[in-house]
Structure formats: C-alpha cells, structure tokens
Amino acid sequence: MSPTRQQVLMYHSVDDYQEDPYSITVKPWRFRAQMSWLKRHRLRGVSMKELLRAQRASRADRLVGLTFDDGYADFVTHALPVLLEHDFTATVFAVTSRLGGDNSWDPLGPRKPLMDARQLRAIADHGMEVGSHTQTHLSLPGATAAEIRAEVEDSRMHLSAVLGREVSGLAYPYGHADQAAIDAVRAAGYSYACGIKPGAADPFCLPRTHVGDRDRYLRLKAKRALHRWTWGRRR
C-alpha cells in the first residue's frame, strides 16, 4: 500500500475547557465551524480506513482524513453528532488498557474521561473506525522489543475482541516512532499507522496535521496549502 497524499487532520479532545496545557482540546463550537469549513469547500472528512480505500481506487481527491487520538469520551457528546450531521466519518485511536479510565499519562492534566468498551462499540456502529493507540500510551522509541510487541500486539487483540471486528490501524503515542516501532506495527498485522512527522512517506508512519482551538478559516486554509505544497514537491 502506498502512503496517502491526502491531508489527515489530527484531533484529540472536543470539549469546553478552562485549562489546556498540551493544546489538545477544541471547543465544540470551533469544531463545528471547522467541519462546516470543510463542507463549504466541498471536502468530506473520512476515517483512515475509508480514505485509504478511496485512494486505492483513485477517488480520494476531495477527501480529508479525520483522526482523534486517545479516545476521549467527549467524542461521543461533542464530535460524533457534528460528524453525523455533515455525513463525515473519522478514526478514533483508543488506549486499550485505559478504557473507561482517564488520561493518566498527562502529568499536567486536566483529567479527562475516556470512552469505555460500550461507547467504542456504539461509535463503530455509527460508521466510525476504531484503531489502537497502544496498550498504555507508552512512547515506543527506546522501549524494549518485548514492550513494543506487547503495546502493539496486545492492544490490537484487545480492541478486536471488544469491537468484534478487525482492527487495522494504529497511531503512535506522542507521534513518536522509530524503525523498531514501525517494524513491530507492520509485523503485528496492522494495515497502516499514523505519526505526525511532516512529509513522511511510510504507510506505517503517515503524517498528520495537528488541529487546535486557534485554527480558524485562514489557518485551516494555510495548513491545507502547506500540506499540498509539501506533497507537491515529492511528486
């Protein structure tokens, strides 16, 4: 499978907030405006599975990948209704040992609840893709081979059992990926993996564009233009 040249947007949490030390939260009204901007520009947000399938059929020109790392429960209340309203799909990458828990890996907080197994099955039934964000949100570079294997293989088996369907994608925690991690993900049977490195050309470390609460129309337009310029140079 060749790497996607289509833009993939990386979200985390969609919620109202008082503090956001990692800049990972988008307010619900802003998220709605961002999705409306895509719609007005005749772009359709889709899951990674849908995007890659369309690319193989040479039908991905007006598609944009939508991904949500960590599996926050606010996806159900704030993101899902907007996606369904716009006829969009998305991929949620869940941390499998933390289902129903919180983002304890973020030392600065704030603590945010994560989706449980029932909620993951519900969003999958609404057409969303669910992928792995590893077992514990461990940064994989520097981990032992056994740790990496457990993080990527156990999480895939766990999610497949929870969902009752095959899990084909993974997103690296913090976007951190080295060759050992990439090789382990490929060996574990995934079809693709998402990182954040601009210009990456490996289908097991696909680049994504971070989207935050400050991204209004002009910033979205600029980020899309930068993505197209970056990939244009690679052709």
Side-chain angles (χ1 to χ4, degrees):
M1 180 186 68
S2 62
T4 179
R5 296 182 183 274
Q6 307 308 123
Q7 187 177 30
V8 178
L9 303 183
M10 179 179 66
Y11 286 92
H12 288 77
S13 172
V14 180
D15 201 7
D16 292 307
Y17 63 90
Q18 297 299 318
E19 53 180 323
D20 186 27
Y22 299 103
S23 300
I24 63 169
T25 309
V26 176
K27 292 179 180 177
W29 70 268
R30 177 79 75 200
F31 179 71
R32 177 177 289 276
Q34 291 167 347
M35 296 301 99
S36 296
W37 183 87
L38 292 177
K39 191 86 168 184
R40 283 199 309 275
H41 286 78
R42 297 185 297 110
L43 299 170
R44 180 167 179 259
V46 296
S47 68
M48 291 302 302
K49 186 175 183 178
E50 188 171 350
L51 180 67
L52 295 170
R53 182 171 60 238
Q55 179 181 271
R56 289 193 293 270
S58 300
R59 297 176 181 173
D61 284 352
R62 306 304 301 176
L63 301 183
V64 175
L66 298 178
T67 65
F68 293 77
D69 286 9
D70 302 337
Y72 293 105
D74 56 47
F75 179 88
V76 177
T77 53
H78 295 310
L80 182 63
V82 176
L83 295 173
L84 295 176
E85 177 184 323
H86 287 77
D87 191 30
F88 289 176
T89 59
T91 300
V92 173
F93 294 109
V95 182
T96 55
S97 72
R98 300 286 191 265
L99 301 186
D102 62 33
N103 56 325
S104 58
W105 57 83
D106 287 335
L108 300 180
R111 291 289 165 259
K112 292 173 173 284
L114 304 174
M115 279 185 274
D116 58 23
R118 178 187 59 81
Q119 290 170 313
L120 288 178
R121 286 191 291 269
I123 67 169
D125 288 342
H126 278 99
M128 306 299 133
E129 180 188 14
V130 179
S132 168
H133 205 34
T134 73
Q135 188 84 338
T136 68
H137 206 279
L138 178 71
S139 178
L140 298 182
T144 67
E147 288 172 331
I148 296 172
R149 187 167 57 251
E151 289 288 333
V152 302
E153 291 183 3
D154 291 357
S155 63
R156 185 169 187 253
M157 289 188 294
H158 186 174
L159 268 186
S160 296
V162 164
L163 299 169
R165 63 189 76 185
E166 181 177 316
V167 171
S168 58
L170 175 142
Y172 299 101
Y174 312 104
H176 298 169
D178 60 7
Q179 194 59 51
I182 291 170
D183 291 344
V185 170
R186 183 183 288 108
Y190 292 92
S191 299
Y192 72 88
C194 290
I196 58 173
K197 185 178 180 181
D202 192 323
F204 287 93
C205 194
L206 297 170
R208 293 183 291 171
T209 302
H210 170 75
V211 181
D213 200 46
R214 296 176 57 199
D215 288 321
R216 303 185 184 186
Y217 310 136
L218 289 179
R219 286 171 63 94
L220 289 174
K221 184 177 181 180
K223 287 184 175 184
R224 182 160 178 80
L226 178 61
H227 173 83
R228 297 177 71 178
W229 179 80
T230 299
W231 277 108
R233 293 177 65 208
R234 301 183 67 88
R235 288 190 174 93

